[in-house]
Amino acid sequence: MEKLEVRHVSKAFDGRSVLEDVSLTLREGELVCLLGVSGGGKSTLFNIISGLLKPDAGQVFLDGEEVTGKPGKISYMLQKDLLLPYRTIVDNVALPLLLRGVSKQEARQQASALFEEFGLEGTQTLWPSQLSGGMRQRAALLRTYLFSQNVALLDEPFSALDTLTKSAVHEWYLAVMERIRLSTLFITHDIDEAILLSDRIYLLTGQPGRICDEIRITQPKPRPHDFNLTPEFLVYKRAILERL
Amino acid sequence: MTRKLPNTIRRNGPALAAAAVLLAVWQAVCSVGLVPGYMLPSPIEVASALVKDWPALWENAQITLQEAFYGLALGVAIGFVFAVLMDAFDVLYRAFYPILVITQTIPTVAIAPLLVLWFGYEMTPKIILIILVTFFPVTVGLLDGFRAVDPDAVGLLRSMGAGRWQIFRYLKCPSALPHFFSGLRIAAAYSVVGAVISEWLGGFGGLGVYMTRVKKAYAFDKMFAVIILISVISLALMALVELAERRCMPYRHLREKS
Ligand SMILES: Nc1ncnc2c1ncn2[C@@H]1O[C@H](COP(=O)(O)OP(=O)(O)OP(=O)(O)O)[C@@H](O)[C@H]1O
Ligand SMILES: [Mg+2]
């Protein structure tokens, strides 16, 4: 079933077209990647999906219900974790529940219950500045998850992490996504990351942004550790490089 | 490796040493007689005046502190309301910000007599003057804080369904706290000075009134004693603000603790 659907979305800023007739779908449990040049309108598309921006044309559907221009349905996560420095980790993570009107105690309890799943056990009462970059991203992810249990929009979520942390986080993310049945739409500049993680990749060309191709990565999951050294991987990579 | 001195001594050592040297020089100048004793009392004379006159000083200090407290509390409250309104409505910001700046260019000593003429010799004109000098640093601090909020963080909260009030409560207000406290520290210092100045220009009690009285008597040692008391009160108020700041923002002082 389609979790999320974007239909024929266009957007212009001051008469300059940034997105043109963009359509995409995200099915349940899928990890779909949006790969494209800088300035191609990817973040703008996320702002439209999350309802922060109204598109000039087109619609967004979540579970078949139209949510175009309605914030509060789908949240997203950015490269910067945006953890609030004046709230402890548990209070940061529980924020979406508080915003929804859940009581403080109840929100803390619900959030705490997921700390172990997200590799955050024991960090409840710490401040964000006391966590490592990888942990902060996981906390931000848990916050996103507590907001919308089944769709995550991630805008270059791991690009600030160093290579080793990044590949550990990738592995962890795929595992946790599987367990909590999360569907993910995510933006990256990193072609390797896209091929490693995705079920499908949408290629976006810039100025104005439009989807020029969709690539399906058929390699089953979980993928072997050395997948990025295999000839199949290189075939995908070459195909993507040719098209961008 | 040399043994480490306690942190506070190491940090404040130079300042304490410099102050001690200055006091010693001052005492020496007076003892030798470089300056006539009736014009510049020695530190020891000042200290004894402070002790001898303490009951009168303390009684007047209480009046001054009361004025400073009421003025500061009202100034902070008004400053907060101004900042919130000006942040919420850009029209208000553009309309009133220049006027607020202009009010701060008017010298305090120039409006104090006017306030006395309008409101008399009681506490009201003093409190009004203190409000005038304290709300501004608070308003500016808070406005800066509100404006420094990361738009991406606002977007994030909006995407999670937060309304204006929730964004204010969970994001803008706590983010502005450090800016608020820097404004408050300045306002606290201004409040004491403002109280003293307004007492100079008319009143029945307070350190300012006491000051004009001892000035007329050419009691230089008492003059110095009251000046020192005023500084100490200002410093104590600022220390209180600092304490409150640490209480409200423990996350800003993590490194010092561990
Ligand atoms: N609020 C706005 N007003 C005007 N122009 C905007 C606005 N937001 C984005 N743009 C423009 O739209 C274009 C697309 O921006 P966007 O941030 O969506 O690109 P992106 O694909 O996410 O880029 P990057 O990969 O660098 O993050 C850019 O040229 C940007 O300057
Ligand atoms: Mg972007």
Side-chain angles (χ1 to χ4, degrees):
Chain A
M1 181 191 153
E2 250 109 71
K3 213 56 223 164
L4 180 73
E5 192 180 353
V6 174
R7 275 191 214 153
H8 307 296
V9 159
S10 301
K11 179 78 189 172
F13 286 118
D14 318 314
R16 196 169 55 90
S17 179
V18 172
L19 289 171
E20 220 169 74
D21 194 24
V22 171
S23 298
L24 57 83
T25 54
L26 174 68
R27 292 187 199 98
E28 184 145 9
E30 237 186 348
L31 195 156
V32 172
C33 173
L34 213 55
L35 189 65
V37 291
S38 192
K42 302 181 295 296
S43 299
T44 305
L45 181 61
F46 267 28
N47 283 331
I48 290 172
I49 295 175
S50 62
L52 294 180
L53 268 180
K54 278 207 169 71
D56 298 337
Q59 293 148 304
V60 181
F61 294 89
L62 175 68
D63 291 320
E65 180 201 348
E66 182 167 0
V67 293
T68 323
K70 286 187 204 155
K73 305 276 181 190
I74 309 171
S75 184
Y76 60 88
M77 177 179 145
L78 301 181
Q79 173 184 342
K80 29 181 183 177
D81 51 68
L82 290 177
L83 294 175
L84 307 174
Y86 45 85
R87 296 178 80 83
T88 57
I89 300 299
V90 70
D91 285 343
N92 258 293
V93 163
L95 188 61
L97 302 175
L98 293 177
L99 293 177
R100 206 183 289 154
V102 177
S103 78
K104 198 165 178 174
Q105 208 188 351
E106 170 74 25
R108 278 185 180 159
Q109 245 164 30
Q110 280 187 36
S112 289
L114 284 158
F115 265 55
E116 200 174 337
E117 178 70 81
F118 280 74
L120 291 165
E121 58 272 33
T123 62
Q124 273 92 334
T125 56
L126 295 182
W127 303 101
S129 61
Q130 295 173 304
L131 296 198
S132 69
M135 283 184 128
R136 292 167 62 109
Q137 284 307 87
R138 287 204 294 257
L141 201 65
L142 175 51
R143 178 179 58 191
T144 313
Y145 175 68
L146 277 168
F147 176 73
S148 46
Q149 307 278 328
N150 37 33
V151 181
L153 297 183
L154 312 180
D155 192 344
E156 303 181 35
F158 310 130
S159 56
L161 304 176
D162 63 86
T163 329
L164 292 177
T165 315
K166 198 173 180 172
S167 70
V169 169
H170 282 162
E171 210 162 298
W172 167 80
Y173 187 73
L174 289 176
V176 87
M177 211 185 123
E178 182 82 8
R179 280 201 298 276
I180 62 182
R181 306 194 48 74
L182 194 65
S183 319
T184 306
L185 180 61
F186 104 109
I187 292 175
T188 182
H189 286 136
D190 183 341
I191 298 177
D192 288 28
E193 185 180 46
I195 302 172
L196 276 174
L197 299 180
S198 309
D199 298 301
R200 285 183 296 125
I201 301 175
Y202 286 107
L203 298 182
L204 202 77
T205 53
Q207 274 122 30
R210 56 166 90 227
I211 288 175
C212 70
D213 212 339
E214 180 189 333
I215 292 173
R216 191 173 289 277
I217 312 288
T218 49
Q219 177 80 26
K221 287 180 178 179
R223 293 176 182 155
H225 288 291
D226 56 356
F227 177 50
N228 56 353
L229 301 174
T230 59
E232 292 96 315
F233 185 93
L234 290 178
V235 171
Y236 288 127
K237 190 162 178 174
R238 181 161 301 132
I240 291 171
L241 284 171
E242 268 166 16
R243 259 159 256 199
L244 281 179
Chain B
M1 211 171 111
T2 54
R3 193 134 43 93
K4 272 189 191 165
L5 288 165
N7 230 339
T8 41
I9 296 185
R10 231 180 343 143
R11 209 159 352 116
N12 301 326
L16 288 176
V21 168
L22 275 178
L23 274 178
V25 170
W26 177 7
Q27 181 66 45
V29 165
C30 295
S31 306
V32 172
L34 275 176
V35 183
Y38 62 88
M39 281 180 76
L40 182 68
S42 74
I44 291 172
E45 284 165 334
V46 172
S48 80
L50 193 65
V51 172
K52 244 188 285 168
D53 235 21
W54 182 251
L57 278 171
W58 180 235
E59 195 181 311
N60 286 299
Q62 278 173 319
I63 296 170
T64 305
L65 271 174
Q66 214 174 30
E67 291 161 358
F69 176 77
Y70 289 139
L72 184 60
L74 286 170
V76 168
I78 291 171
F80 184 81
V81 172
F82 274 23
V84 170
L85 288 177
M86 278 163 56
D87 181 65
F89 305 102
D90 205 46
V91 191
L92 291 183
Y93 180 84
R94 269 176 291 162
F96 288 108
Y97 195 78
I99 298 178
L100 290 189
V101 174
I102 289 169
T103 64
Q104 298 308 301
T105 62
I106 304 170
T108 322
V109 280
I111 29 173
L114 255 182
L115 291 173
V116 171
L117 288 179
W118 285 336
F119 300 103
Y121 288 85
E122 299 293 338
M123 229 178 230
T124 321
K126 282 137 201 147
I127 291 175
I128 291 175
L129 187 92
I130 297 167
I131 291 172
L132 285 177
V133 293
T134 54
F135 83 89
F136 188 73
V138 173
T139 303
V140 171
L142 277 171
L143 272 177
D144 282 351
F146 292 154
R147 280 167 182 247
V149 167
D150 186 346
D152 285 331
V154 177
L156 181 76
L157 261 73
R158 279 221 301 136
S159 79
M160 298 194 295
R164 264 174 95 108
W165 159 244
Q166 287 180 315
I167 288 174
F168 179 74
R169 166 152 192 257
Y170 290 108
L171 189 61
K172 287 198 161 184
C173 218
S175 305
L177 222 48
H179 295 83
F180 167 74
F181 273 110
S182 1
L184 184 61
R185 203 170 320 148
I186 298 170
Y190 282 5
S191 69
V192 178
V193 176
V196 170
I197 290 178
S198 63
E199 286 162 357
W200 273 350
L201 297 160
F204 301 121
L207 291 176
V209 172
Y210 177 87
M211 222 169 168
T212 44
R213 225 181 287 143
V214 294
K215 192 192 85 184
K216 278 185 198 136
Y218 292 97
F220 281 87
D221 51 346
K222 291 183 181 178
M223 280 284 275
F224 273 89
V226 69
I227 290 171
I228 286 169
L229 185 58
I230 290 169
S231 310
V232 168
I233 289 175
S234 298
L235 284 175
L237 272 184
M238 284 164 84
L240 260 178
V241 172
E242 179 113 11
L243 199 73
E245 185 177 341
R246 278 169 181 267
R247 269 289 166 82
C248 292
M249 302 189 292
Y251 51 90
R252 294 198 115 213
H253 303 281
L254 297 173
R255 237 149 270 130
E256 293 164 38
K257 232 191 273 171
S258 55

